[in-house]
Amino acid sequence: MQILSVSSLKGGVGKTSVTMGLASAALNSGVKTLVIDLDPHADATTGLNVSRGAGREAGQLLKEARKANVAEHAVPSGWLDLLDDEQKKTATLDVVVGSALSAAFDRPDIRPRDMKRLKTLLEGLSGYELVLVDCPPSLSGLTRIAWAASHQVLLVAEPSLFSVAGTERTMRAIRMFSNEFAPQLTQAGVVVNRARADSAEHEYRLLEMERLYQDKLMLPVLEENPHWQQIQGAAYPVHQWPGDPVKDMAKSFDELLKQLVPAKKLKK
């Protein structure tokens, strides 16, 4: 089971959108996936079409880490209802729902023993091939809890000055955290989101990212798409959205997933 934290230390770059796009690609490829919504805003829970109040939420599970059973409280995504009967037989996309209660753990002075709470929860968990953890846009307690349990961190950035600087800070933070608390943790790479081909600033920042991140910069770059907000507002997987304008976006998430998940786990 591969555990991947989706992170950014700068808000507003589309971190949750990337989490949902990867979840859609995983569902489309037959990868049995669990999404853990650690962001107190719980946008991933909403986007994956799960009603809040369904299942025990992430903050409560962290509080009861030694005795709680994640499998008993993971809730199926409403996206499964969009599949045909044959697909439903083998598809798995579950969610550990988020809520503001998680914020109780999102403090900068979190104790080392509390950082292990998610890792403890996931020990012995089976039935999934991929776990995606949607982190809050900060380096406080919840992000550290996620990193301590993860094998890799996927960074999300946009082609802007502040995002580039924030991504560099995050990469340094991952190295320091790995050395001190999580020797298994590595950087999966950097996904660039919301790029515009008609922007000279974006073109400049993309070249800057290529120079700074080198082999850690993942391709393809995710271009800004006017349909994305509508897809999220409808709580729909991008791979099930009708029409041609979003097919390239779906293919981009497929390509990114192939780089993150071993080929033997991809069914399509």
Side-chain angles (χ1 to χ4, degrees), residues 3-191:
I3 305 171
L4 180 73
S5 284
V6 184
S7 297
S8 170
L9 298 194
K10 181 185 181 301
V13 299
K15 167 187 56 63
T16 298
S17 299
V18 171
T19 303
M20 291 169 55
L22 291 173
S24 178
L27 181 62
N28 189 61
S29 299
V31 178
K32 298 182 182 300
T33 302
L34 173 68
V35 178
I36 300 177
D37 190 354
L38 278 194
D39 192 331
H41 292 107
D43 291 335
T45 297
T46 302
L48 287 159
N49 197 14
V50 177
S51 300
R52 300 193 193 190
R56 189 163 296 179
E57 61 85 39
Q60 189 65 32
L61 291 176
L62 289 176
K63 186 177 180 180
E64 303 170 356
R66 293 191 179 276
K67 60 181 179 180
N69 186 328
V70 174
E72 292 179 357
H73 299 286
V75 181
S77 167
W79 290 1
L80 296 172
D81 295 334
L82 302 172
L83 304 181
D84 60 41
D85 291 339
E86 196 61 32
Q87 290 173 313
K88 288 179 182 178
K89 292 178 182 178
T90 57
T92 300
L93 179 58
D94 293 338
V95 184
V96 172
V97 299
S99 82
L101 293 175
S102 301
F105 290 95
D106 205 26
R107 53 185 187 271
D109 59 343
I110 189 168
R111 297 170 296 184
R113 67 181 184 183
D114 286 332
M115 281 193 288
K116 298 178 181 178
R117 287 180 178 269
L118 182 59
K119 184 176 182 180
T120 299
L121 271 172
L122 297 179
E123 287 176 351
L125 181 66
S126 61
Y128 301 103
E129 296 163 309
L130 176 65
V131 177
L132 296 171
V133 187
D134 188 35
C135 302
S138 69
L139 191 55
S140 290
L142 287 171
T143 295
R144 296 180 188 187
I145 286 172
W147 288 4
S150 297
H151 301 117
Q152 292 185 306
V153 178
L154 178 67
L155 302 179
V156 180
E158 63 181 5
S160 69
L161 171 63
F162 297 137
S163 184
V164 171
T167 302
E168 288 189 88
R169 291 196 303 272
T170 310
M171 294 175 85
R172 289 196 298 270
I174 293 169
R175 288 193 293 268
M176 293 173 61
F177 188 87
S178 176
N179 290 336
E180 190 168 357
F181 299 108
Q184 84 289 346
L185 187 67
T186 61
Q187 298 177 31
V190 180
V191 171

Side-chain angles (χ1 to χ4, degrees), residues 2 4 22 26 29 31-33 129-132 152 218 254-267:
Q2 183 177 356
L4 180 73
L22 291 173
S29 299
V31 178
K32 298 182 182 300
T33 302
E129 296 163 309
L130 176 65
V131 177
L132 296 171
Q152 292 185 306
M218 298 183 68
D254 288 336
E255 290 301 314
L256 292 172
L257 185 72
K258 288 177 183 178
Q259 298 169 61
L260 297 168
V261 175
K264 63 182 180 181
K265 294 182 181 180
L266 300 172
K267 308 300 190 296

Side-chain angles (χ1 to χ4, degrees), residues 217-266:
L217 186 65
M218 298 183 68
L219 298 175
V221 168
L222 297 173
E223 296 185 0
E224 187 168 322
N225 190 304
H227 297 274
W228 191 230
Q229 287 190 344
Q230 186 180 2
I231 295 169
Q232 291 181 309
Y236 241 71
V238 63
H239 289 76
Q240 296 289 331
W241 194 257
D244 293 334
V246 298
K247 285 185 177 179
D248 286 343
M249 186 192 300
K251 289 179 181 178
S252 293
F253 281 114
D254 288 336
E255 290 301 314
L256 292 172
L257 185 72
K258 288 177 183 178
Q259 298 169 61
L260 297 168
V261 175
K264 63 182 180 181
K265 294 182 181 180
L266 300 172

